[in-house]
Amino acid sequence: MAQVIQYLLNGIMNGALYALIAVGIVSIFKSTKVVSFAHGHVIMFGAYFYFTFAVILPGAEFMPDWVAKWEPEWLLAYKEGAAMFSPKAAIAAWVSNLPRIVLGLVGSIVCNALLAVFIERAFMRPLLGQSSLSMILCTVGLIWVLEGSASLIWSADIDQVPPLGPNFPIRFTVFDSQVFLFSSSVVNFVIALILFIGLMLVLRYTRSGVAVRATAEDQSTAYAMGINVPAVFTTAWVVAATTGAIAGAILASRNGLSPTLGLFGLSVLAVVLMGGLDSFAGVFIASMIIGIFEAFTQWQFGGEYAEIVPYVLVLLVILWRPNGLMGQAEIERI
């Protein structure tokens, strides 16, 4: 029973990360009717920006020493006597890294947002009025441009970045059996969930959210109502890149940093197709289902079988519901 709970929790935590990444794809599609195949590589760039601001920049000569390692007297006193790998030592190490973690997050969010504006203005906006297929193929081409650029700017080596939260083991007992988690995974789960819920509230209750939903419903009518549709497109790309920057930092701290990190976006595309390209609720449900199924498949059959779970599940769902679990079917009148 303990193993069931263990892998169930692992699946839910992975599902929350899937949902955070998928929300960017859905926000772009709801505004532009374009599926961004390059979203995984935008996330990869966000991870590299986090690496630049959290690892490379703090070590520069012109940066203050406290950015690279912040150790005030009270923190040294707190850390004194802490056993290695204990929660106390892990929290002290995280607090010491906090300035560069904050610098890394702020820098990655700003730079990724600027990258999204550049992509939308330079590649997407000139294609306005063209078929959706041409815009989708443009995002496919961006995959190789972004992956090659990352290898040229940084390197193809695997690097490590500081986690967003303290990293120590958490053990608790359920049904007389012990369950094991890492605290950094719990922090990542909470961050992903808060961002997902926050974005849903923004889209539902703010003027910008109403503009996005109106544009998604009918671009021509949105123009007639005075909505700046190109600005909505830019906003959607910026939102996707911003959430992607945080997701990239989480992925890099968990899996390591390399240009192949962008391939994670292909699994998320399966999540979006399964949930419904225009449904945030459907994507959240699909994220949790795929995350849990992946965890249990890894437990029973191994990691190589878990990798194909998203694609098998999305195939089965599309055969049953072509628009996804909660996607809306478009009705064309003749």
Side-chain angles (χ1 to χ4, degrees):
M1 188 63 183
Q3 285 184 306
V4 173
I5 296 173
Q6 176 76 70
Y7 282 95
L8 179 64
L9 291 174
N10 291 346
I12 290 173
M13 290 182 182
N14 285 336
L17 183 57
Y18 278 140
L20 177 60
I21 297 173
V23 77
I25 299 175
V26 175
S27 64
I28 291 174
F29 180 81
K30 284 181 74 70
S31 301
T32 65
K33 298 301 180 186
V34 172
V35 180
S36 176
F37 283 84
H39 187 62
H41 287 74
V42 172
I43 290 171
M44 177 264 294
F45 251 78
Y48 271 108
F49 286 136
Y50 179 68
F51 171 71
T52 300
F53 285 93
V55 177
I56 298 177
L57 195 59
E61 293 183 359
F62 59 85
M63 293 294 289
D65 293 338
W66 59 267
V67 176
K69 195 172 186 180
W70 184 52
E71 290 187 327
E73 292 184 5
W74 64 266
L75 182 61
L76 292 174
Y78 172 81
K79 187 169 61 174
E80 188 176 353
M84 187 177 295
F85 305 119
S86 67
K88 190 175 181 179
I91 292 172
W94 174 72
V95 173
S96 179
N97 287 329
L98 201 53
R100 64 192 187 114
I101 292 172
V102 173
L103 178 64
L105 282 176
V106 173
S108 65
I109 288 171
V110 172
C111 290
N112 231 35
L114 293 175
L115 174 65
V117 172
F118 172 74
I119 289 173
E120 196 277 330
R121 294 290 178 90
F123 300 104
M124 297 292 107
R125 190 165 295 190
L127 295 175
L128 282 178
Q130 304 296 322
S131 66
S132 296
L133 179 60
S134 61
M135 301 180 78
I136 291 172
L137 291 177
C138 183
T139 67
V140 173
L142 282 170
I143 291 175
W144 288 279
V145 173
L146 293 173
E147 186 171 328
S149 298
S151 298
L152 289 173
I153 297 171
W154 290 280
S155 74
D157 298 331
I158 297 177
D159 295 294
Q160 299 296 322
V161 298
L164 303 190
N167 192 25
F168 57 87
I170 300 174
R171 295 178 177 87
F172 56 95
T173 303
V174 178
F175 299 117
D176 297 325
S177 299
Q178 197 171 73
V179 176
F180 174 87
L181 295 171
F182 278 106
S183 60
S184 59
S185 299
V186 177
V187 171
N188 294 341
F189 169 76
V190 172
I191 291 173
L193 199 60
I194 289 174
L195 286 173
F196 187 90
I197 294 173
L199 185 57
M200 298 307 95
L201 294 175
V202 167
L203 289 173
R204 185 172 182 84
Y205 295 109
T206 66
R207 293 186 63 183
S208 298
V210 172
V212 169
R213 287 188 284 129
T215 303
E217 193 69 30
D218 191 309
Q219 293 180 11
S220 300
T221 304
Y223 261 122
M225 296 298 293
I227 295 174
N228 188 342
V229 173
V232 171
F233 291 171
T234 303
T235 301
W237 278 89
V238 168
V239 166
T242 300
T243 57
I246 299 172
I250 292 173
L251 278 174
S253 65
R254 192 183 72 170
N255 301 341
L257 180 64
S258 72
T260 59
L261 191 68
L263 298 177
F264 191 80
L266 295 177
S267 298
V268 180
L269 277 173
V271 171
V272 174
L273 292 172
M274 179 177 169
L277 280 166
D278 55 357
S279 173
F280 288 107
V283 161
F284 183 80
I285 294 170
S287 298
M288 291 300 164
I289 292 173
I290 288 178
I292 292 170
F293 267 85
E294 273 189 339
F296 280 100
T297 303
Q298 183 176 11
W299 172 31
Q300 294 294 328
F301 303 104
E304 61 274 13
Y305 289 95
E307 292 178 0
I308 67 171
V309 166
Y311 311 107
V312 172
L313 287 179
V314 72
L315 179 61
L316 294 175
V317 169
I318 287 178
L319 289 173
W320 168 49
R321 292 182 62 87
N323 296 291
L325 291 173
M326 298 185 68
Q328 296 181 354
E330 292 188 4
I331 300 174
E332 296 184 1
R333 295 179 174 84
I334 301 176

